[in-house]
Amino acid sequence: MALSELSDRFRFILVRTSHSGNIGSAARAMRTMGFDGLSLVAPNRFPDPEATALAAGADDVLGQAEIHGDLVEALAGTTFALGLSARRRGVTLPELDPREGARQALAAARRGEKVALVFGNERTGLENDELSRCHAMVRIPSVDDFSSLNLSQAVQVVAYELRTVMLAEESTAADIQVPEEDVPADAEQVERFFEHLARTLDDIDFHKGRSPVTIMLRLRKLFLRARPDLRELRILHGILADAQRMAQLAGQDQNKSRT
Amino acid sequence: MALSELSDRFRFILVRTSHSGNIGSAARAMRTMGFDGLSLVAPNRFPDPEATALAAGADDVLGQAEIHGDLVEALAGTTFALGLSARRRGVTLPELDPREGARQALAAARRGEKVALVFGNERTGLENDELSRCHAMVRIPSVDDFSSLNLSQAVQVVAYELRTVMLAEESTAADIQVPEEDVPADAEQVERFFEHLARTLDDIDFHKGRSPVTIMLRLRKLFLRARPDLRELRILHGILADAQRMAQLAGQDQNKSRT
């Protein structure tokens, strides 16, 4: 199923939003994640230039927004509703984190259901009566002493989770293609580099009489961890060759001056 | 390990932020997820009443914010840096989604590393030069035709992912002990190595008139991927010093033979 077809089964419902700027920011947040179904329940002010400004180009989302008098009306046609809540509540609803909420919402959408994601007023959240219309509660795992996300941030997190779960389910079998040059070099090619490195360390008199074994082991470990590709190995070989050339020049001239 | 102790190992770095309101919103977003290490690189205006207003009480985060002149300075002391990017870029860095980025960042933090999360300017993002200081790129999986998240929304998504992964791992993760020497070198130490490497390539005449920029970018990528520890950096510095010594001998002797 196309992602866009699946995304069309979700509706973001903002209830009694005070600041119209938040409606705009929420529209933008939804749009970045591929959602455009927005419903507004008794917004304080809409349409509003502040909403349009903060939508930052997600005008289509604002233009198609449905406006309703109460949540019951806004939920018409949906079959699965998740209510966002910052606090743990007295309501005896299952409490999900956003990831598990996204999984359940997506499973419903795949069955052809229409899913509602319900966000309360900035200050007061959802009323218990409104939460009781929802099938589960989603709590974004904020810290206890600073638990209140901005409304559009909560919308962003939920929209992001939905899209991430969708993409993860979609790509399970997909092979990742990488450009040929980025394929790590094979063991033989890497060995040739280590041989060249060992010879160069001798040539530039790096060991100064100490055993080269430990150093080479450490360098092996470092470069094996990096998993160089062929292009990178070519650069490294080039550097070693130039260092050897310098050593040779130095040595030849030293020899000359000795004779 | 306590979550707060782990959270203290993360630093959110906002680079060249234009709108101070976004700094405030970002501080609030971080704070809801338990993070308070904020660094600002060349902010357009800070402190600013707009930032304070939108922080909505996260004044401690703003009050402790460090201000730096450039990203290199802000990265001092960190060992693992993730750069946020909205677009797929020409830079050949590993590209992670926020979840995988959070996993890798958290693994580093558990080893005792300091982790940087780097966010660019609202309009232009991070410069390639800035991205090249990062170990990997994180792309929030937005839709292609509307890919730009508000800056503070991106901060919220990343902070949310970090906290979610932390909470998920909390019950199962035993602290991984690694020998002290194996802790990757910090950004400053790695930069000093790159500077030494660049000087050495000049000294041994590696470039032969070609531009050093591409080569250095490729070498940066290779060594950042390997994440050398201090002992490994010492070995690499030693090799470079000997190659330079050879170049000097070769040069001196050449000069002598010319006179």
Side-chain angles (χ1 to χ4, degrees):
Chain A
M1 188 186 304
L3 277 194
S4 61
E5 198 183 331
L6 206 52
S7 302
D8 285 347
R9 298 189 182 158
F10 292 88
R11 188 150 278 278
F12 287 68
I13 304 179
L14 307 186
V15 180
R16 289 174 283 104
T17 310
S18 296
H19 302 290
S20 44
N22 281 335
I23 296 176
S25 298
R28 177 179 179 179
M30 289 167 54
R31 190 69 181 75
T32 60
M33 297 294 130
F35 299 99
D36 56 14
L38 175 63
S39 294
L40 306 172
V41 172
N44 186 32
R45 199 159 50 200
F46 187 83
D48 188 76
E50 184 78 359
T52 309
L54 285 166
D59 301 335
D60 47 346
V61 178
L62 293 184
Q64 301 163 28
E66 293 179 3
I67 302 184
H68 297 285
D70 60 35
L71 179 59
V72 177
E73 190 185 305
L75 286 174
T78 66
T79 48
F80 186 65
L82 293 175
L84 270 284
S85 176
R87 291 160 289 157
R88 294 186 178 84
R89 303 283 284 253
V91 180
T92 53
L93 271 181
E95 185 185 296
L96 311 175
D97 64 23
R99 192 145 311 173
E100 181 55 28
R103 282 196 201 103
Q104 295 195 14
L106 202 58
R110 284 195 192 284
R111 290 192 298 267
E113 297 186 42
K114 289 278 277 178
V115 176
L117 305 153
V118 188
F119 299 79
N121 169 268
E122 289 95 333
R123 185 186 294 271
T124 56
L126 290 169
E127 309 279 349
N128 282 347
D129 174 57
E130 290 161 344
L131 266 180
S132 74
R133 311 281 164 177
C134 298
H135 296 83
M137 209 165 76
V138 169
R139 210 178 74 80
I140 295 173
S142 53
V143 295
D144 287 336
D145 68 333
F146 200 93
S147 63
S148 173
L149 273 71
N150 166 273
L151 171 59
S152 71
Q153 303 279 34
V155 169
Q156 183 77 66
V157 166
V158 169
Y160 159 76
E161 267 298 355
L162 283 170
R163 185 164 169 82
T164 296
V165 174
M166 273 186 207
L167 290 170
E169 290 182 358
E170 202 194 29
S171 71
T172 40
D175 280 352
I176 299 159
Q177 294 293 331
V178 289
E180 199 187 342
E181 283 275 25
D182 287 351
V183 174
D186 69 26
E188 237 182 316
Q189 294 157 333
V190 176
E191 277 316 305
R192 271 202 296 276
F193 163 68
F194 285 131
E195 285 160 18
H196 193 180
L197 177 60
R199 281 196 310 277
T200 306
L201 293 188
D202 279 341
D203 291 351
I204 66 175
D205 191 26
F206 175 76
H207 301 299
K208 301 174 187 66
R210 292 165 303 188
S211 158
V213 177
T214 315
I215 291 291
M216 277 310 297
L217 279 177
R218 289 203 197 290
L219 288 169
R220 291 187 74 91
K221 193 178 139 206
L222 171 69
F223 283 102
L224 286 177
R225 208 164 61 224
R227 310 190 66 219
D229 62 32
L230 280 180
R231 193 160 47 179
E232 290 165 342
L233 280 189
R234 274 198 296 274
I235 295 171
L236 293 172
H237 276 296
I239 296 173
L240 295 177
D242 278 324
Q244 286 182 303
R245 188 164 55 84
M246 291 297 147
Q248 209 184 6
L249 280 170
Q252 281 175 341
D253 290 345
Q254 279 176 327
N255 290 343
K256 258 183 244 164
S257 59
R258 266 184 223 126
T259 52
Chain B
M1 187 186 304
L3 275 194
S4 62
E5 198 184 330
L6 205 54
S7 301
D8 285 348
R9 297 188 183 157
F10 291 88
R11 190 151 273 280
F12 286 68
I13 303 179
L14 308 186
V15 181
R16 289 174 284 101
T17 310
S18 296
H19 303 291
S20 44
N22 282 335
I23 297 176
S25 300
R28 176 179 179 180
M30 288 166 55
R31 189 69 181 75
T32 60
M33 297 294 130
F35 299 98
D36 55 15
L38 175 64
S39 293
L40 305 172
V41 172
N44 185 31
R45 198 159 51 197
F46 187 83
D48 189 75
E50 183 79 358
T52 310
L54 284 167
D59 301 336
D60 46 347
V61 178
L62 292 184
Q64 300 163 28
E66 293 179 4
I67 302 185
H68 297 284
D70 60 34
L71 178 60
V72 176
E73 190 184 305
L75 285 174
T78 65
T79 48
F80 186 64
L82 292 175
L84 270 283
S85 177
R87 290 158 290 157
R88 295 187 175 84
R89 303 281 284 252
V91 179
T92 51
L93 273 180
E95 185 186 298
L96 311 175
D97 63 24
R99 191 146 311 172
E100 182 55 27
R103 282 197 198 103
Q104 295 195 14
L106 201 60
R110 285 196 192 283
R111 290 192 297 266
E113 297 187 40
K114 289 278 277 179
V115 176
L117 305 153
V118 188
F119 299 79
N121 169 268
E122 290 93 330
R123 185 185 293 273
T124 56
L126 290 169
E127 309 279 347
N128 283 346
D129 174 57
E130 290 161 344
L131 267 180
S132 77
R133 314 278 163 178
C134 298
H135 296 82
M137 208 166 78
V138 169
R139 209 179 75 82
I140 296 174
S142 52
V143 293
D144 289 335
D145 68 332
F146 199 94
S147 63
S148 174
L149 273 73
N150 166 273
L151 172 60
S152 71
Q153 304 280 32
V155 169
Q156 182 75 67
V157 166
V158 170
Y160 159 77
E161 267 298 353
L162 284 169
R163 184 163 169 83
T164 296
V165 174
M166 271 186 207
L167 290 170
E169 289 182 357
E170 198 190 21
S171 50
T172 50
D175 286 358
I176 302 157
Q177 296 293 331
V178 290
E180 200 186 341
E181 282 273 28
D182 286 351
V183 174
D186 70 26
E188 249 179 311
Q189 294 157 334
V190 175
E191 278 313 306
R192 273 202 295 276
F193 163 67
F194 284 130
E195 284 160 20
H196 194 180
L197 177 60
R199 281 195 310 274
T200 306
L201 293 188
D202 277 340
D203 291 352
I204 66 174
D205 191 28
F206 176 74
H207 301 299
K208 303 174 185 67
R210 292 165 303 188
S211 159
V213 176
T214 314
I215 291 291
M216 278 308 299
L217 278 176
R218 290 205 196 288
L219 287 168
R220 291 187 75 90
K221 185 184 147 203
L222 171 70
F223 284 103
L224 285 176
R225 207 163 63 223
R227 311 190 68 220
D229 63 32
L230 279 179
R231 193 161 46 184
E232 289 166 342
L233 278 189
R234 276 198 297 273
I235 297 172
L236 294 172
H237 276 297
I239 296 173
L240 295 177
D242 279 326
Q244 287 181 302
R245 189 166 54 84
M246 291 300 148
Q248 209 183 8
L249 281 169
Q252 281 174 345
D253 289 347
Q254 280 178 322
N255 290 343
K256 256 182 245 163
S257 59
R258 266 186 223 125
T259 53

